[in-house]
Amino acid sequence: MEQQGKQGVIVSKVLPNQDPVKFVQFKYKELEDGFKSWLSKQSLLVEAFVVTATSGVQGAAIGAIMGTITPDISSSMPTPPQAALNPQAMASLKQAQALAGGPLIQARNFAVMTGTNAGIACVMKRLRGKEDVQSSMVAAFGSGAMFSLVSGMGGSNNATNAITSGLFFALVQGGLFKLGEKFSQPPTEDLHYARTRSMLSNLGLQNYEKNFKKGLLTDHTLPLLTDSALRDVRIPPGPRLLILDHIQRDPELREKTGKL
């Protein structure tokens, strides 16, 4: 009987959820983590090249889709008389093409922006060992400058407009980064359930996080958990077995349990 119970636990852990959508998401996350792990072991040059190329391809795909579903405003604009002899008129046409061109133009623009941004961000992270607002703004500056140069938005004064576009991109990215930091910070109480949340997620039992919070079963209480304690917070028998089995198998939690 005991052996059958253990086999049930093992099967449940191998197949935590039969939902095909979640299974695909799990496999994709697993593949993504493996790719990132392999990439982190490569040289800076290889990592920057791969990140720039893959991000550029993704950006090109997004740009092509955007250019397909949105009308090409630049092609419908009448060409001003003497446009070939008027630098300002030509600059206006180039700006219209850069901002509202067809699929190929948008694919090029998005590829340059996303590829440059990702490549510079990758290099900054390797050199500085962290991702912060400064690195994000440097990457955005490079992205904006390259976009200005490739799209021809700068007209005849390419250098000045590249710097201006780079600064604009950097300021926008810096503001978005700080805004994201502000809203992504978890509530103070959630900091006490970080390890618990991770454990439940790995077991496919994230729906029971509210039970832990209701019973004030924080990360500090994990080594002390018993079947009766989990029963008191209304967690069913199956999930209770998975949770207790996970705690027994975790070396750090098992060591803390031994000390207690």
Side-chain angles (χ1 to χ4, degrees):
M1 187 70 179
E2 182 179 355
Q3 185 176 0
Q4 291 179 351
K6 291 183 178 179
Q7 289 177 349
V9 172
I10 294 174
V11 171
S12 299
K13 293 181 72 175
V14 173
L15 301 172
N17 202 315
Q18 297 295 332
D19 189 342
V21 176
K22 291 186 177 181
F23 177 76
V24 172
Q25 292 175 342
F26 171 77
K27 297 302 291 184
Y28 175 79
K29 185 67 167 58
E30 189 178 50
L31 183 63
E32 183 183 29
D33 292 341
F35 176 74
K36 288 181 178 179
S37 176
W38 170 83
L39 197 59
S40 64
K41 299 175 184 177
Q42 308 306 310
S43 65
L44 175 60
L45 182 63
V46 172
E47 183 180 9
F49 174 79
V50 173
V51 169
T52 302
T54 54
S55 298
V57 171
Q58 293 174 359
I62 295 173
I65 295 173
M66 294 292 294
T68 301
I69 63 178
T70 57
D72 185 356
I73 301 177
S74 62
S75 62
S76 61
M77 291 178 62
T79 303
Q82 304 296 327
L85 302 177
N86 189 335
Q88 292 183 349
M90 292 301 297
S92 299
L93 285 175
K94 288 184 177 180
Q95 290 179 359
Q97 291 177 344
L99 297 175
L104 293 179
I105 293 176
Q106 293 296 340
R108 177 202 64 188
N109 293 343
F110 274 81
V112 169
M113 286 191 294
T114 57
T116 303
N117 190 296
I120 296 177
C122 171
V123 172
M124 294 295 292
K125 183 180 179 181
R126 270 287 189 103
L127 295 178
R128 303 183 72 232
K130 59 181 179 180
E131 291 181 277
D132 55 13
V133 65
Q134 288 85 359
S135 297
S136 180
M137 292 180 69
V138 170
F141 177 86
S143 176
M146 284 300 298
F147 169 73
S148 177
L149 292 173
V150 172
S151 64
M153 286 189 63
S156 58
N157 196 352
N158 289 332
T160 301
N161 283 278
I163 294 175
T164 304
S165 298
L167 289 174
F168 175 75
F169 273 56
L171 290 174
V172 172
Q173 180 67 20
L176 292 175
F177 189 94
K178 299 301 289 185
L179 192 64
E181 275 189 337
K182 180 179 180 180
F183 286 99
S184 64
Q185 292 179 351
T188 305
E189 66 169 86
D190 284 351
L191 297 177
H192 300 296
Y193 297 93
R195 183 156 192 172
T196 301
R197 185 181 304 109
S198 176
M199 175 190 69
L200 293 175
S201 178
N202 291 335
L203 296 174
L205 303 174
Q206 53 269 27
N207 292 336
Y208 294 105
E209 181 180 343
K210 61 181 181 296
N211 299 67
F212 275 76
K213 291 182 177 181
K214 186 176 180 180
L216 299 179
L217 300 177
T218 65
D219 293 349
H220 298 292
T221 65
L222 286 180
L224 303 172
L225 282 183
T226 61
D227 184 77
S228 60
L230 295 174
R231 190 187 307 117
D232 289 341
V233 294
R234 300 183 181 279
I235 295 180
R240 292 205 305 266
L241 290 173
L242 290 176
I243 293 170
L244 294 174
D245 179 69
H246 175 85
I247 294 174
Q248 292 175 1
R249 294 174 182 273
D250 189 302
E252 185 177 347
L253 292 176
R254 190 168 63 245
E255 182 181 353
K256 290 182 178 180
T257 305
K259 290 181 180 180
L260 296 173

